[in-house]
Amino acid sequence: MFERSKILLVATLLTFAGLSHFAGGISPYYFDILIGIGINIILAVGLNLVNGYTGQFSLGHAGFMAVGAYASSWLTLKYGYSMGSGTLNTTTVFVLALLGGGLGAALAGLIVGVPSLRLKGDYLAIVTLGVNEISKGVLQKAEPLGAQRGLGGMEQHTNFFWTFAFAAITIYVVLNLVGSTYGRGFLAVRDDEIAAEAMGINTTKYKVLAFVLAAFFAGIAGGLYAHFKQFIHPEGFNFLRSVDIVVMVILGGMGNTAGVVVAATLLTILPEFLRAVSRYEWLPEWLRHVAENRMILYSLLLIVLMLTRPQGLFGNFTGKRNSKLQ
Amino acid sequence: MNAPLLKLDNVTVQFGGLKAVGDLSFTIGEGELIGLIGPNGAGKTTVFNLITGVYEPTAGAITFANKSVVGHRPYKITARGIARTFQNIRLFPSLSVFDNVRTACNMHLRHGISHALARGPKFSAEEREIEATVMELLEIFSLTAERDAACKSLPYGDQRRLEIVRALATRPKLLLLDEPAAGMNPTEKAELMKLIRFTQEKFGCAVLLVEHDMKVVMGICQRINVLDYGRKIAEGTPTEIRNDPKVIAAYLGKEEE
Amino acid sequence: MKRPLLLSTALALLATAALAQDEIKIGEFASLTGGSASFGQSSHKGTALAIEEINAAGGVLGKKLKLIAEDDQSQAGQPATIVRKLISQDKVVAVLGEVASSKSLEAAPICQQNKIPMISPASTNPKVTEVGDYVFRICFIDPFQGTVMAKFAQSKGWKKVAVLTDVKQDYSVGLAEFFVKGFTATGGEIVKDQKYSTGDKDFKAQLTSIKAAKPDAIFVPGYYGEVSLIGKQAKLLGIKVPLLGGDGWVGDSLLKVAGNSLDGSFFSCHFSADDKAEAVQNFVKKYKAKYNGETPDDMAALGYDSAVILAEAIKKAGTTDGEKLRDALAATKAHPGITGSITLDEKRNATKPAVILGIGGGGFQFVQTVAP
Amino acid sequence: MIEFIQQLLNGLGQGSIYALIALGYTMVFGVLRFINFAHGDVFMLGAFAGFYLGPKTLRLFGEGPSYSGAFAALVVAMVLCAVIGIVIEKLCYRPLRDRPKLTVLITAIGVSLFLENAGQLVFGANPQSFPELIVDRALEIPESWGAISGLTITVSQVLVFGVTLLLLFVLRYVVLKTKMGMAMRALSFNPVAASLMGINNDVVISFTFGLGSALAGAAGILTSIQQPSIDPLMGVNAGLKAFVAAVLGGIGNLPGAALGGLLIGVIEALVVGYVSPTYRDAIVFGVLILILIVKPTGLLGVSEREKV
């Protein structure tokens, strides 16, 4: 018996595997943006499980990305090149390292989540932000990982297939989870914790689970990032990076996976789009000047969006959809 | 008579200096329909919160089916067989009618996260089973037509009924109803009384009913406990309670201290 | 949104393609906005000035140079994207940048893989040029500067020195490391090792414990933003010993903020705007004229030199071919730059003299030149 | 021992700045239940107000640095920041009053990013030298005072501490004794009831933003007198620390914010002096997390029981 979502996943993965052969043909610049989109989709869709579907507010997602990036880099740097004649080829080592990075981040998520998820709203936000800062501080001091000099020397293993395969898997996991009776617990926790408890739902378990899963995917995304840019630095996983991911979730509409995917894509392209705009000589001077100051534009966009469409570009999840069982 | 299903033994709870419930004792037997009444602020909802683990008593014991429930998290107490509704309706606002009930089936799932992800035949079978259960419940409470409606869009009376359905989906041995008739018109109230009695018989569960409407309480309850200022001032059959001077005083206000 | 982007970029490329024959494109990536914008803007201004001058003098190989500068917003992840753009979209022949080593380290592997020469004006982390043979730098590296100051401290007869490092800057950590090595090797003693982070404003805590250790001098290899405050607060706390530092001290606001509190202190640097040499004075004059009277700092001078050295190498190579350009760059010898005579060694690092300046009388005084 | 006392003093100086900023966070949280992320940037604007207007106010009182001139600059910066705070609230937060907290928080982050980046564009990214409003020097402590004479206390430290105390007393008076203060407290207790009692919530909220922003403006001037190098990103770190201070003290609680600010200042000074500045931020956040987990309402906060 084949479930529709499973068939879809396999079909998507096969398509990506096929497309991957043509990916070499596109310009490295567009390829860079494309990989960036994939990584951001993984990050945002994962975080959406926490911030969107479970209603908890994590503001430290980049911290888990950092754990994954450093853990997987450490693994490939340590084992990746000694495997040459061994039984494992480099791709296998890379994927194992990615999973290792994901598990490391999940473990970090568990350690952070269990005590801090008792807190609500703003308090949780500040604690996760704090954890983000702490992990950055520890990395800056960690000599074996390059400390404040950063860590480099990884080979470029990240390619089109692995990035988008993991993006597809992230989407598959999140959607299938929240669509099942089991996963409706996440939504119940978001809607009303006290009522959820009264219906026999272990709210702590669900919150921690959402947190750990999101951290796992952030770790994977970190590993993909590290093996694409080939250099990582503690400052690359700062508070601003966390804000970026939160904005993708909010822009897409909390708890709306499709919207979040679109938002992650748009927000990855936007800075490069503005970069291009600032170069068009036929545009009025002031417009090009505005486009050059991308951060000002980004912040204004954020404010205007919240004022005019606080539910995100594509609206929030409402109960009307997905109420039928597959 | 067997040991009671629920037993409160000298239960006291204090918030700061305020004693919300003091030395309260009463019991509920299997399948009984018991009323809990009292003026506003008498501590009725607090009693519910104590039984369901939202608050922990400062002193005293609460036992359910011969085991203490004190100090357990609410979800564990629900799993032991106590379900409730809320005075100020607490449905899951973003979920549909169907999903509200379905969520309450969560704790009886035999399969966990791995099945939800792998989506194998066992998973599908169980989800279909849950769908059937939910639809059966909705049918009994005539909410089938609204299955895909957003629960917020239901009329007030339907929302109250939906809360009862949701509570029943946890398959309780004891159902706590917190003012289920609030905001209902006389016809709805009459129907509600029928439903409560039906529930008690069909699902074989005991019911503890907090209600302001005396007609409803007197009409269906076998025994009634009366609370005032967190203390029990009377217990008895509806007839006894109706004629109890202490109860009358509590409701009409005492002449002079 | 994606399609119009691709489409319009393609159109823009077509439009510029017509002009492409008579210009040589040079890419630059710098932190023009964000946390490190103060350094990025300086080096960019220097680079832009150099390109303007070269073009005014007729360009290179009969063609004008076109500088394509991109802002990396001081964000990690951006340099790689930008350099990919510069190389694949803009088809630049070489890349200039960055000040921060962590940004250069991200871009270097991409330049190396594409065989496009890259010159970092001011990344001092030794690892940058170790990435490959297409990666150059025109500043001296941490070991040299640290050692120079250690020798200088010894020559002054100081025996006990405290160190105050900026832990957020690998530059500062590197300098401190080699200073300590050089100083202790010849019998000096480090009496206190204190740290701070970029962006700090209050250093009284560190200075208090340094004061308690009674050093003869304090080595502060940080950037001018913090050093000016450190000087001021040291004086307030009654610390009278001189402060020592590196090229990070040079900045427009060092003395404005510090007042006379740094009088009697010394630092090593690439260049001094007060240097009487004609080339330097010319540069300062033109820089001030172009940028509203702003005095150029080290980053500006290094940004300038990086562009000039690249232009010279293109002339020498007679082509913009990556491999030949790399060879021409590697052969750079005794280039008379604003920041001194620059020779690139076999590790593609600059061998050049350091200048030691003293502070006093509201300005910098030339003390000595230390040859490599 | 002397060194330890010196570190404590240094910490208190920095802590008073944090306390002033933290008060703004906590007041806004009290009435609106949301974190005004842009508050640290208002502090930065206060410093730049002093940068541009300080020399002018000094000239009003003759040549060179003077206390009256510095005081005038302080008042001007406070008024200016109050206006900015009120405008930000009116334009960006008021339309979102009934929206989820998260929406408002994201807007606040947007405002913060806007002020920082626009600041870089307008003021320039390079650090600027803050004009000398007062002559800062170390106070002479007579040798006869024994060991204490080894301490270094600067005029600016005394001034910062003194002005902070003064402002705290003024604030206490405003909140406890004035009609507006009473309205603020009523609003933070129960907004619906407050508006039923005839309190104009909009006015009170504007006033709260104005008051909090004025304190941040004062902190901007005071910090620049102590550390005369200012830049458009100076509010990021100070704002974050002050926010941690507010949560540490119990957000929504005024004495808590002041206490939290001083504590954070002292903890930082001690960590930097005796451990390592690398761990400073990590330890500050560590302490915060520990306190939140042990006592989620902060040091002086009172828990709110959710009604069931």
Side-chain angles (χ1 to χ4, degrees), chain C residues 164 196 200-208 211 218 225-240 243 257-259 261-262, chain D residues 6 10 14 136-138 152-154 156-157 223-229:
Chain C
L164 182 55
Y196 68 93
D200 285 1
K201 300 269 174 191
D202 192 279
F203 308 92
K204 295 202 193 77
Q206 293 94 323
L207 290 169
T208 298
K211 188 188 176 189
I218 308 168
E226 287 81 23
V227 170
S228 56
L229 291 174
I230 290 172
K232 203 162 174 81
Q233 290 169 19
K235 190 175 181 206
L236 283 174
L237 288 174
I239 294 175
K240 297 192 177 65
L243 269 54
V257 173
S261 63
L262 282 172
Chain D
Q6 182 76 54
N10 299 342
Q14 190 58 35
D136 198 8
R137 60 185 168 80
T152 311
I153 302 171
T154 66
S156 64
Q157 272 180 321
T223 202
S224 310
I225 287 177
Q226 264 188 307
Q227 300 135 16
S229 169

Side-chain angles (χ1 to χ4, degrees), chain C residues 21-338:
Chain C
Q21 280 91 15
D22 40 290
E23 57 186 28
I24 296 173
K25 287 185 188 166
I26 293 173
E28 186 203 355
F29 66 111
S31 303
L32 299 179
T33 57
S36 338
S38 58
F39 308 117
Q41 286 180 358
S42 278
S43 74
H44 170 65
K45 283 174 181 167
T47 304
L49 177 65
I51 301 283
E52 199 180 288
E53 278 179 22
I54 293 162
N55 284 340
V60 180
L61 304 182
K63 295 177 185 177
K64 296 262 188 262
L65 294 181
K66 185 174 162 67
L67 180 69
I68 300 175
E70 295 288 4
D71 175 19
D72 62 34
Q73 295 171 290
S74 312
Q75 274 175 24
Q78 281 275 308
T81 310
I82 290 173
V83 169
R84 283 198 174 100
K85 171 189 178 281
L86 289 172
I87 294 174
S88 68
Q89 302 303 118
D90 300 320
K91 314 277 185 219
V92 299
V93 303
V95 172
L96 300 174
E98 231 251 32
V99 174
S101 296
S102 63
K103 305 277 173 4
S104 297
L105 277 166
E106 203 184 303
I110 297 160
C111 291
Q112 179 66 28
Q113 282 150 20
N114 287 287
K115 297 198 181 345
I116 295 288
M118 164 179 155
I119 307 177
S120 162
S123 293
T124 51
N125 185 335
K127 280 201 174 135
V128 172
T129 49
E130 286 166 17
V131 169
D133 58 355
Y134 280 85
V135 185
F136 298 86
R137 90 176 95 218
I138 58 145
C139 53
F140 38 64
I141 52 175
D142 301 338
F144 175 62
Q145 225 184 147
T147 317
V148 163
M149 285 319 283
K151 272 189 210 150
F152 178 74
Q154 234 119 34
S155 73
K156 283 275 178 184
W158 295 321
K159 293 272 171 288
K160 296 193 292 179
V161 172
V163 178
L164 182 55
T165 323
D166 182 345
V167 283
K168 256 200 186 156
Q169 304 291 345
D170 43 346
Y171 154 76
S172 184
V173 174
L175 239 63
E177 187 186 328
F178 287 99
F179 176 86
V180 170
K181 219 180 256 171
F183 191 65
T184 49
T186 44
E189 187 195 349
I190 303 297
V191 287
K192 198 84 198 181
D193 184 8
Q194 285 284 324
K195 315 246 183 318
Y196 68 93
S197 300
T198 307
D200 285 1
K201 300 269 174 191
D202 192 279
F203 308 92
K204 295 202 193 77
Q206 293 94 323
L207 290 169
T208 298
S209 55
I210 286 178
K211 188 188 176 189
K214 299 195 171 61
D216 297 328
I218 308 168
F219 185 56
V220 193
Y223 286 108
Y224 63 93
E226 287 81 23
V227 170
S228 56
L229 291 174
I230 290 172
K232 203 162 174 81
Q233 290 169 19
K235 190 175 181 206
L236 283 174
L237 288 174
I239 294 175
K240 297 192 177 65
V241 299
L243 269 54
L244 306 175
D247 56 335
W249 280 30
V250 187
D252 213 22
S253 66
L254 180 77
L255 293 185
K256 274 195 209 155
V257 173
N260 60 1
S261 63
L262 282 172
D263 284 6
S265 295
F266 300 93
F267 63 97
S268 60
C269 68
H270 305 270
F271 116 114
S272 149
D274 299 328
D275 193 335
K276 296 289 173 282
E278 202 190 323
V280 174
Q281 282 313 311
N282 262 338
F283 166 68
V284 172
K285 209 165 64 198
K286 277 184 276 185
Y287 190 93
K288 280 187 171 170
K290 186 168 161 68
Y291 301 112
N292 304 323
E294 217 177 289
T295 311
D297 56 16
D298 272 33
M299 297 306 151
L302 289 167
Y304 182 91
D305 275 354
S306 67
V308 175
I309 286 179
L310 177 62
E312 292 295 321
I314 297 174
K315 270 186 212 164
K316 239 188 299 170
T319 168
T320 54
D321 172 69
E323 205 169 323
K324 298 214 172 82
L325 190 51
R326 176 201 62 186
D327 295 340
L329 272 172
T332 301
K333 260 204 180 65
H335 167 82
I338 301 298

Side-chain angles (χ1 to χ4, degrees), chain B:
Chain B
M1 195 175 137
N2 293 337
L5 181 64
L6 178 79
K7 186 172 173 214
L8 272 72
D9 201 358
N10 286 314
V11 171
T12 299
V13 69
Q14 216 150 356
F15 299 133
L18 180 81
K19 196 177 263 186
V21 170
D23 290 328
L24 180 67
S25 303
F26 68 84
T27 60
I28 300 174
E30 297 222 19
E32 271 190 312
L33 208 171
I34 305 293
L36 182 63
I37 62 169
N40 276 326
K44 302 171 306 260
T45 298
T46 308
V47 172
F48 271 28
N49 287 337
L50 285 168
I51 296 173
T52 54
V54 177
Y55 302 153
E56 208 174 308
T58 321
I62 305 175
T63 47
F64 181 72
N66 291 324
K67 271 195 233 143
S68 172
V69 297
V70 174
H72 288 283
R73 290 262 307 274
Y75 80 92
K76 283 208 163 141
I77 295 175
T78 308
R80 298 259 298 273
I82 303 180
R84 70 178 291 184
T85 66
F86 295 89
Q87 186 182 348
N88 45 348
I89 303 174
R90 279 176 172 263
L91 291 166
F92 302 119
S94 74
L95 299 187
S96 67
V97 167
F98 177 84
D99 271 351
N100 260 283
V101 184
R102 180 183 166 198
T103 304
C105 300
N106 186 299
M107 60 181 240
H108 295 296
L109 282 175
R110 292 184 301 274
H111 302 121
I113 180 168
S114 53
H115 282 79
L117 293 179
R119 301 245 154 175
K122 274 187 193 161
F123 167 82
S124 304
E126 186 169 22
E127 293 280 286
R128 270 198 307 275
E129 200 179 294
I130 287 169
E131 182 175 15
T133 317
V134 173
M135 287 317 289
E136 192 187 331
L137 280 169
L138 288 178
E139 177 91 55
I140 293 170
F141 287 79
S142 43
L143 286 163
T144 322
E146 281 83 25
R147 87 167 249 175
D148 289 334
C151 65
K152 282 177 291 187
S153 67
L154 293 186
Y156 198 67
D158 284 357
Q159 290 196 25
R160 289 240 173 256
R161 271 189 299 147
L162 179 57
E163 262 211 318
I164 299 175
V165 179
R166 190 178 64 170
L168 284 173
T170 66
R171 298 180 216 156
K173 293 195 201 89
L174 170 64
L175 180 62
L176 312 180
L177 299 176
D178 203 345
E179 300 198 21
M184 285 186 175
N185 61 35
T187 334
E188 284 177 321
K189 277 180 189 168
E191 215 173 291
L192 178 78
M193 285 164 70
K194 257 191 265 170
L195 261 179
I196 294 175
R197 241 190 248 125
F198 172 76
T199 307
Q200 183 203 8
E201 284 159 18
K202 157 114 187 162
F203 298 93
C205 63
V207 176
L208 178 61
L209 176 70
V210 163
E211 185 49 64
H212 269 300
D213 191 303
M214 286 307 142
K215 249 193 223 148
V216 174
V217 180
M218 300 294 174
I220 55 175
C221 290
Q222 294 158 321
R223 274 186 303 125
I224 297 171
N225 294 289
V226 188
L227 279 186
D228 193 21
Y229 292 109
R231 288 177 183 279
K232 188 161 92 175
I233 53 169
E235 181 180 359
T237 62
T239 331
E240 286 163 14
I241 293 298
R242 210 171 290 153
N243 300 320
D244 192 316
K246 271 193 283 181
V247 177
I248 295 166
Y251 268 91
L252 299 178
K254 283 157 212 167
E255 305 288 303
E256 261 310 297
E257 277 299 319

Side-chain angles (χ1 to χ4, degrees), chain D residues 162-173:
Chain D
V163 173
T164 304
L165 273 185
L166 182 75
L167 288 172
L168 284 180
F169 275 108
V170 171
L171 182 71
R172 193 185 143 81
Y173 176 81

Side-chain angles (χ1 to χ4, degrees), chain A residues 1 152 157 184 208 252 316 322:
Chain A
M1 193 173 148
H157 291 299
R184 290 278 130 166
V208 172
N316 286 50
N322 286 342

Side-chain angles (χ1 to χ4, degrees), chain A residues 23-287:
Chain A
I26 64 171
S27 146
Y29 175 49
Y30 296 141
F31 187 68
D32 185 298
I33 299 174
L34 202 59
I35 298 292
I37 290 172
I39 290 173
N40 279 338
I41 287 177
I42 300 176
L43 287 166
V45 170
L47 185 65
N48 192 25
L49 186 61
V50 178
N51 287 24
Y53 289 112
T54 318
Q56 308 300 306
F57 191 13
S58 165
L59 200 51
H61 214 47
F64 299 114
M65 188 187 172
V67 173
Y70 273 94
S72 62
S73 301
W74 183 77
L75 285 171
T76 50
L77 287 175
K78 196 161 165 73
Y79 300 108
Y81 310 118
S82 56
M83 290 289 175
S85 56
T87 45
L88 297 170
N89 64 20
T90 44
T91 306
T92 317
V93 173
F94 167 60
V95 174
L96 287 177
L98 277 186
L99 293 176
L103 289 177
L107 186 67
L110 187 70
I111 293 167
V112 174
V114 168
S116 62
L117 281 167
R118 297 188 314 172
L119 304 168
K120 287 197 175 79
D122 300 322
Y123 285 109
L124 181 63
I126 185 69
V127 165
T128 46
L129 191 159
V131 169
N132 195 166
E133 289 292 319
I134 291 174
S135 63
K136 218 178 72 189
V138 170
L139 287 174
Q140 270 169 354
K141 201 69 179 163
E143 278 303 327
L145 295 175
Q148 78 289 337
R149 288 184 306 279
L151 184 63
M154 293 79 81
E155 279 178 9
Q156 189 176 326
H157 291 299
T158 300
N159 58 15
F160 178 85
F161 174 74
W162 288 116
T163 308
F164 283 88
F166 275 110
I169 290 171
T170 312
I171 295 170
Y172 172 87
V173 166
V174 169
L175 281 185
N176 269 354
L177 212 49
V178 296
S180 68
T181 300
Y182 181 86
R184 290 278 130 166
F186 294 112
L187 307 186
V189 171
R190 170 186 70 186
D191 277 7
D192 191 327
E193 270 188 50
I194 287 174
E197 281 267 334
M199 294 309 122
I201 289 170
N202 183 349
T203 52
T204 312
K205 188 182 100 183
Y206 272 91
K207 284 194 267 185
V208 172
L209 181 65
F211 210 66
V212 167
L213 277 172
F216 174 79
F217 288 119
I220 297 277
L224 289 165
Y225 174 87
H227 290 88
F228 184 66
K229 301 281 183 184
Q230 296 166 268
F231 179 79
I232 48 177
H233 192 266
E235 277 299 321
F237 307 98
N238 58 11
F239 165 65
L240 273 179
R241 189 78 181 89
S242 293
V243 170
D244 266 351
I245 309 168
V246 171
V247 170
M248 285 167 198
V249 172
I250 290 181
L251 196 67
M254 310 252 290
N256 176 348
T257 298
V260 168
V261 170
V262 178
T265 310
L266 287 182
L267 278 175
T268 318
I269 293 175
L270 182 72
E272 300 307 320
F273 174 74
L274 290 175
R275 199 192 292 286
V277 165
S278 69
R279 295 270 173 245
Y280 296 155
E281 277 152 27
W282 43 271
L283 281 175
E285 178 74 29
W286 66 269
L287 198 65

